Amino acid sequence: MPFKPSPQRVPRLTVALHLLALAALLTSAWFVYRPGLSGAFLFDDLGSLPKLGATGPVDHWDTFWRYITSETADPTGRPLAMLSFLLNARNWPAAPYPFKVTNVILHLFNGALLAVVLWKLGRTLAYPKANEDVQALHVPDGGQSAPDTRRVAIAALFGAGCWLVHPLLVSTTLYVVQRAAMLSATFILIAILGWMASRTKLIHGYSALALGGMAASAWLCTLLAVLCKANGALLPLMLLLIEWIVLTPRHPMRSPDSKKLMNLAVTIFLILPTIILVGYLIQMLPGAIRDTPNTRGWTVGQRLLTEPRVLTDYLRLLFVPHAYSSGLFNDAFPVSNGWLDPMSTLPCALFILALIGAGFALRKRHPAIALALLFYFAGQLMESGWVPLELYFEHRNYLPAMLLFWPIGLALGQQGPLRLMRTLTAFVVLALMGMLSTQRAALWGNAVQQARMWAAINPDSARAQTSAALYDLQNNHPELAAARLQTALPTHPDDVQISLNLITAECRLGAVNPATIQAARTALSNDRVGNGAAFHWFGDTLALLTKHACKGFDDHDLQSLLDAAWRNPHWRPYPGIRQDLYHLQGSLDLVRQQPQQALQDFDLALEQAPGPAIALRQAAALGTSNYPCLGLLQLDHFAALPKPPESGFSMSRIHAWVLQRQSYWDREIANLRQELANAASPSQCSAQ
């Protein structure tokens, strides 16, 4: 028969005071973030959010399925994160304000969940090896003294509060596209609560209910977290750490049968998924070693040497908060080329290894510290390992940092003659963090000031200088943009962002310097990762050529830049880049009124990576340029090409299946064919 405890509850007044304190904390956090709600969309926002209107407003099921499967950021496509954006808009363009409000509300919800998690973990630690339901607001029977509820509450509120109002996390909460990271953390917090509640049911003999809850917590929540962001796959590892360090030693099973079931549950629900994840990461390693140098500009070995320095800097910013930081611009973070190049590489690696070692060593005497440390490094496993992501981003601390301040809260809340002073210290720390975060949020609320501040903080960042220059151009200050980019050019001779946008700035000023064009050729011949920015610039510049609006820069100069891009050894091996280059060449041919050459280059572009989107785009460009018959030939050429084979699982394949199922491309091609045919005449076609 299941065991039914007869608990003594914590006084209702105490519970009410704790809830009131949490409500005050959440309210304060809202006002901390409020100055940032007026900010603009940034960078990756403009890569994901325009999908809201890419195939029409999301106002019926066909467009819903096309939209929800359209993201390619992870193999899973982050469909739940994409789904959440429909709360704020169903078409594009859209205003950023509602997106940012939703992000802040989600952050507050996560903070409330974290406070409950820390409360329950603290209650567990307050009952050493007790056989009672420590997950509820109960004190044990059998004459044991009640735990220090006030200390547990102070630690939970302080730990959750520091995380809620920490300045470093502003760049996650107010960066709309990072809702993916926030939602993933939501499901991980829910999973922790569900796992703790389920194992308590197992202690009390409700085996079926307990195992079902554990399966939902470990497997279902992992699936939901992964459908928000790939690092949700770390959930079983994080639960395993909580189980190993806190729950098993201090909340053991009562009977041999329940202990066997618990061991089986841990093996199946936690250890097995963790092994699968590690195996998946290991099988990615050969491809990462092969491809990373051409796509990132550094090797996997250099990344592994650099990440200890990155983690050390994260920890510095977490424990010594700053009002301002490098923000989203970390492309100037120096790569480690050896253990002593730079000199901080080896010391940082030893420091990180020492912290991980301390986590294992302290797990019995100081479990809160051990769990906070190991949880943090487990949360960094995917984004700070050998997966070839960019080296440094602040938002990677959102999930890992959740438990870091909890042990400090436990120390501040302990009993003793100075308890009131320690409690006041906790309040002062939270207030100072809130003030710093308010300053940072205000910066996020002003896009122009933000760009200029980040450019000042990151003088060696090509992205920061380019971003500030683009805002100068938008605000009709080409002289400021040109001066900024000219200063940055000698430091970044191989970065296409600097020289190409300097051409734009000089064009706005009246004339382009030939030396700037030569600098752009040099950059296009050598840049490794700037192809996307370069091709976007080419497209904008073609429009200027048609208006003859740029003195000192004509189609021959643009051709020389395209030729330089073709010489780039880092770009040529990739079919997608070759397709972009041929497409740009065909577009330039149209500007030069060379339609047959344009068709030939468009055909070559299509052959690199056949797809209906590029075929439609090029056929439409031919039709718009008054060559509808050539547009029809482009569509005929696409129809005759063999379809490329598809392999592996990805959201891209699902998206292609959805489009095929809906006959989307067939309809689009048929509609364009009809428009081109209506615009064409036999005489035109014979002439073309």
Side-chain angles (χ1 to χ4, degrees):
M1 181 177 179
F3 174 80
K4 296 182 179 180
S6 55
Q8 177 186 352
R9 295 187 178 277
V10 172
R12 291 183 179 179
L13 179 59
T14 302
V15 175
L17 289 174
H18 294 164
L19 293 176
L20 184 61
L22 177 59
L25 184 62
L26 296 173
T27 302
S28 300
W30 166 261
F31 284 102
V32 164
Y33 275 98
R34 190 176 178 182
L37 298 178
S38 58
F41 291 120
L42 295 169
F43 313 112
D44 288 345
D45 290 343
L46 300 176
S48 296
L49 298 179
K51 293 180 173 67
L52 284 162
T55 63
V58 187
D59 54 8
H60 55 85
W61 283 112
D62 283 353
T63 51
F64 172 82
W65 289 114
R66 293 199 295 268
Y67 163 72
I68 210 70
T69 60
S70 61
E71 183 58 83
T72 58
D74 288 337
T76 63
R78 305 179 180 181
L80 290 185
M82 296 293 284
L83 179 65
S84 74
F85 295 137
L86 292 177
L87 295 171
N88 307 122
R90 298 191 179 184
N91 202 356
W92 190 261
Y97 180 82
F99 289 88
K100 291 181 182 286
V101 169
T102 302
N103 272 30
V104 173
I105 292 173
L106 179 60
H107 183 57
L108 300 183
F109 179 65
N110 284 345
L113 288 176
L114 178 59
V116 178
V117 167
L118 297 181
W119 165 264
K120 289 182 175 292
L121 288 173
R123 295 280 293 177
T124 303
L125 291 180
Y127 287 120
K129 299 185 182 296
N131 293 325
E132 189 55 69
D133 184 358
V134 299
Q135 304 306 316
L137 294 174
H138 300 154
V139 297
D141 293 334
Q144 291 181 319
S145 59
D148 187 354
T149 304
R150 182 177 173 185
R151 181 191 184 198
V152 173
I154 289 173
L157 291 170
F158 180 81
C162 285
W163 182 85
L164 262 174
V165 298
H166 199 290
L168 192 66
L169 303 185
V170 170
S171 59
T172 306
T173 307
L174 293 179
Y175 191 8
V176 172
V177 77
Q178 288 308 320
R179 190 179 300 177
M182 300 169 70
L183 281 170
S184 179
T186 303
F187 289 114
I188 289 174
L189 289 167
I190 291 172
I192 294 171
L193 294 173
W195 181 269
M196 295 173 75
S198 298
R199 73 186 311 283
T200 297
K201 291 297 181 183
L202 184 58
I203 288 177
H204 295 154
Y206 299 97
S207 300
L209 182 61
L211 293 176
M214 289 177 179
S217 300
W219 284 358
L220 178 60
C221 285
T222 296
L223 174 63
L224 295 174
V226 167
L227 292 178
C228 298
K229 190 174 181 180
N231 69 346
L234 295 168
L235 170 54
L237 175 59
M238 293 175 162
L239 285 177
L240 186 60
L241 290 171
I242 294 172
E243 180 65 41
W244 176 53
I245 296 172
V246 174
L247 300 179
T248 296
R250 288 162 178 80
H251 199 204
M253 297 294 113
R254 284 197 180 89
S255 67
D257 289 342
S258 61
K259 186 174 182 179
K260 288 180 181 178
L261 280 176
M262 189 68 219
N263 290 338
L264 181 64
V266 168
T267 300
I268 294 175
F269 299 140
L270 304 184
I271 295 177
L272 181 60
T274 300
I275 292 173
I276 293 172
L277 172 63
V278 172
Y280 176 77
L281 293 176
I282 290 174
Q283 68 86 27
M284 290 180 60
L285 186 55
I289 292 173
R290 180 186 65 248
D291 297 333
T292 298
N294 282 333
T295 58
R296 292 297 185 188
W298 34 257
T299 66
V300 169
Q302 288 174 314
R303 189 179 205 279
L304 291 174
L305 285 172
T306 306
E307 284 305 310
R309 293 175 38 243
V310 172
L311 291 171
T312 301
D313 199 56
Y314 289 161
L315 292 170
R316 175 184 67 85
L317 293 172
L318 283 165
F319 287 102
V320 187
H322 293 64
Y324 305 117
S325 68
S326 56
L328 303 184
F329 298 115
N330 299 286
D331 50 305
F333 194 88
V335 175
S336 291
N337 298 302
W339 289 109
L340 296 176
D341 180 16
M343 290 292 293
S344 58
T345 302
L346 181 58
C348 288
L350 293 175
F351 174 66
I352 297 302
L353 289 174
L355 289 179
I356 295 173
F360 284 99
L362 296 174
R363 69 187 187 279
K364 293 183 179 179
R365 295 188 59 186
H366 300 285
I369 297 175
L371 180 59
L373 287 173
L374 295 181
F375 190 95
Y376 179 81
F377 291 113
Q380 295 285 1
L381 180 62
M382 293 180 69
E383 294 177 307
S384 298
W386 57 74
V387 178
L389 305 170
E390 296 203 30
L391 295 174
Y392 189 120
F393 272 124
E394 293 176 357
H395 62 254
R396 292 174 184 167
N397 291 279
Y398 189 82
L399 170 63
M402 282 184 164
L403 306 187
L404 274 184
F405 305 101
W406 175 51
I408 300 174
L410 288 171
L412 292 173
Q414 64 185 343
Q415 295 180 350
L418 298 177
R419 186 175 201 177
L420 178 59
M421 183 176 295
R422 288 193 297 271
T423 303
L424 290 175
T425 300
F427 178 81
V428 170
V429 169
L430 288 173
L432 288 174
M433 279 197 181
M435 291 171 60
L436 294 174
S437 292
T438 302
Q439 293 180 54
R440 186 175 293 200
L443 184 67
W444 276 76
N446 186 323
V448 176
Q449 182 183 353
Q450 182 184 53
R452 291 173 178 168
M453 174 68 76
W454 282 347
I457 293 174
N458 302 286
D460 296 327
S461 167
R463 293 179 186 173
Q465 303 310 316
T466 301
S467 175
L470 290 175
Y471 275 107
D472 289 334
L473 288 172
Q474 290 175 15
N475 289 279
N476 296 316
H477 291 294
E479 72 287 354
L480 297 179
R484 186 185 301 278
L485 294 170
Q486 286 166 353
T487 302
L489 184 58
T491 310
H492 303 282
D494 293 340
D495 195 305
V496 297
Q497 301 176 90
I498 301 295
S499 54
L500 292 181
N501 285 291
L502 181 55
I503 290 175
T504 301
E506 291 180 348
C507 179
R508 293 271 296 273
L509 286 171
V512 179
N513 190 328
T516 303
I517 299 174
Q518 179 55 46
R521 293 190 195 103
T522 300
L524 285 163
S525 299
N526 297 287
D527 197 327
R528 291 175 180 266
V529 299
N531 57 289
F535 298 157
H536 180 77
W537 179 89
F538 274 117
D540 291 343
T541 305
L542 281 167
L544 289 176
L545 291 182
T546 61
K547 301 175 183 177
H548 305 286
C550 195
K551 184 179 179 181
F553 188 84
D554 57 22
D555 62 299
H556 298 290
D557 295 310
L558 189 60
Q559 182 67 64
S560 73
L561 296 182
L562 274 175
D563 293 340
W566 270 112
R567 293 192 295 271
N568 190 318
H570 309 297
W571 294 358
R572 283 200 309 267
Y574 297 98
I577 296 180
R578 294 198 303 270
Q579 181 177 80
D580 288 337
L581 288 170
Y582 278 125
H583 173 77
L584 289 169
Q585 183 64 65
S587 300
L588 181 56
D589 295 333
L590 285 179
V591 171
R592 291 170 159 176
Q593 298 183 352
Q594 298 173 346
Q596 293 296 336
Q597 186 61 47
L599 178 62
Q600 181 179 338
D601 287 320
F602 281 162
D603 285 347
L604 289 171
L606 194 55
E607 290 164 9
Q608 305 307 306
I614 185 68
L616 283 166
R617 182 181 177 188
Q618 294 181 158
L622 289 164
T624 303
S625 300
N626 203 30
Y627 304 111
C629 299
L630 297 186
L632 290 169
L633 290 176
Q634 172 75 171
L635 295 180
D636 291 340
H637 185 63
F638 169 66
L641 288 174
K643 300 302 181 285
E646 296 180 347
S647 61
F649 169 81
S650 68
M651 185 56 75
S652 297
R653 288 196 66 183
I654 296 176
H655 183 62
W657 178 83
V658 168
L659 295 175
Q660 181 182 10
R661 179 90 178 190
Q662 295 180 1
S663 300
Y664 175 80
W665 291 122
D666 292 341
R667 289 199 307 272
E668 292 294 307
I669 290 173
N671 290 338
L672 182 58
R673 275 189 179 279
Q674 187 62 52
E675 291 181 17
L676 293 171
N678 291 340
S681 67
S683 59
Q684 281 182 309
C685 291
S686 60
Q688 295 176 9

